[in-house]
Structures are given as C-alpha cells and as structure tokens.
Amino acid sequence: MDSFEELIGLKIDEVDLDGSDDFIFSVGYKYKNCGQRYPAFKLKLCDLDYFNFIEFADLFRYEAIFLIWYDIDSRLITDLEIYHLSNDFDVLFRDYYYIFSAVRDGKAHLLREGDTKYLGASRLGEKVEQPNNKKLANKRELVLKKKYLSKILKEISLKCSY
C-alpha cells in the first residue's frame, strides 16, 4: 500500500486494500443538503457464525482502527483517521454480549439492528440453522453501525474546525 501521506486526493479505487491488515478500513460518505457528511454504508467486521461465535477479544484485536474516508460521488480520499475503539469498548461489549446471548439462547431469528447501539448483527438474505432452536434464522454479519460511524465522522469534523 502507498504511504499514508500519499493517499489523500487519490481515488479509492487506486488504493490496494486487499491483503491489508484487518485494522484498516475504507469508509464511503455522502453529503446531506446542509453540507454535513454521513456514512454511506455500515462497516462489515466479519461474518457471524452461529455455531462458532467469535470472541470479543478476537473481534476487536486492536484498540484502534485506521479509517480511510472517501467521498462516494468523487471516489476521492479526503480523510485518514486512527480511531481508538477502546474509548467505546464498554458500549461495544454490551452490544456484543446482547448479540451473543441471543444466539446462545436460540433467539438469533429475533435480533434486530435497533436492539444495539454501535455493533450490529446485520441481516443477510439466506436462512440457516441456529443453536438451541429449530427455527431458521437469517445469516448475519457483525458491523459497525452507521450511527457509530457518524459519531466518528463528526469527531473528525470537529477536529478539522479548530
């Protein structure tokens, strides 16, 4: 990958993120009519395996992540951010435990993204078996929700306004 200083102004398609460490993520954003930026997508962390649930420590192996922010329309990279997830581990852990408990108790089919604050179990189309229940549940992936990414993006804007 290019040196970080050289990324600003490049198109996101010109940056090779394949094979990069799993603490580097690209996040697209759009603009509201008022000019405020907001994330265009949720940020996928991993697929959720109901029978081999990932440990919190493995999901968040790093205390910080490196975010490459780019404008969806122009595809240009505009911001680079090292964000310390460790500041939010208490909320992320509560969300993780809620999702884990639902899966463990055979209630994965009842999970909704609105049940958690920052970490979501985003629904995918295909249905699969779940532990401790014969009812099928949608496959899911663990994501950082748009609400959380908006919080991070607002913090970047506040830093830039000083």
Side-chain angles (χ1 to χ4, degrees), residues 2 6 10 13 25 32 39 51 54 60 63 78 85 95 97 99 102 109 113 119 147 151-152:
D2 301 312
E6 295 172 349
L10 287 180
D13 307 326
F25 298 96
K32 294 181 180 180
F51 293 95
I54 188 168
F60 296 106
E63 290 187 19
T78 58
L85 295 170
D95 291 347
Y97 189 74
I99 295 165
H109 61 288
E113 275 192 70
L119 181 67
K147 176 181 178 179
K151 172 187 176 285
I152 296 170

Side-chain angles (χ1 to χ4, degrees), residues 32-154:
K32 294 181 180 180
N33 289 339
C34 65
Q36 184 179 9
R37 299 185 297 179
Y38 67 96
F41 314 103
K42 303 171 223 175
L43 180 59
K44 178 184 174 180
L45 298 175
C46 70
D47 290 324
L48 180 55
D49 182 348
Y50 294 140
F51 293 95
N52 189 17
F53 207 87
I54 188 168
E55 296 289 330
F56 183 81
D58 293 333
L59 182 61
F60 296 106
R61 291 188 308 172
Y62 305 103
E63 290 187 19
I65 56 176
F66 185 78
L67 298 170
I68 301 171
W69 292 94
Y70 67 95
D71 182 316
I72 287 289
D73 295 327
S74 68
R75 312 280 302 158
L76 288 178
I77 296 172
T78 58
D79 296 284
L80 305 174
E81 173 82 8
I82 294 177
Y83 188 78
H84 294 273
L85 295 170
S86 56
N87 296 336
D88 302 313
F89 273 171
D90 54 341
V91 177
L92 290 166
F93 184 76
R94 271 196 307 272
D95 291 347
Y96 170 87
Y97 189 74
Y98 183 87
I99 295 165
F100 170 77
S101 298
V103 170
R104 179 196 62 209
D105 298 341
K107 297 179 181 177
H109 61 288
L110 299 176
L111 281 172
R112 297 175 320 172
E113 275 192 70
D115 295 336
T116 56
K117 192 168 180 179
Y118 294 160
L119 181 67
S122 185
R123 198 179 284 196
L124 301 173
E126 184 182 344
K127 295 208 176 214
V128 296
E129 288 182 39
Q130 62 175 320
N132 304 320
N133 193 332
K134 293 184 184 192
K135 188 168 185 158
L136 295 178
N138 287 85
K139 283 181 93 172
R140 295 178 184 267
E141 56 190 15
L142 291 174
V143 298
L144 294 179
K145 296 168 66 167
K146 282 183 173 182
K147 176 181 178 179
Y148 187 49
L149 296 173
S150 291
K151 172 187 176 285
I152 296 170
L153 198 52
K154 283 180 187 171

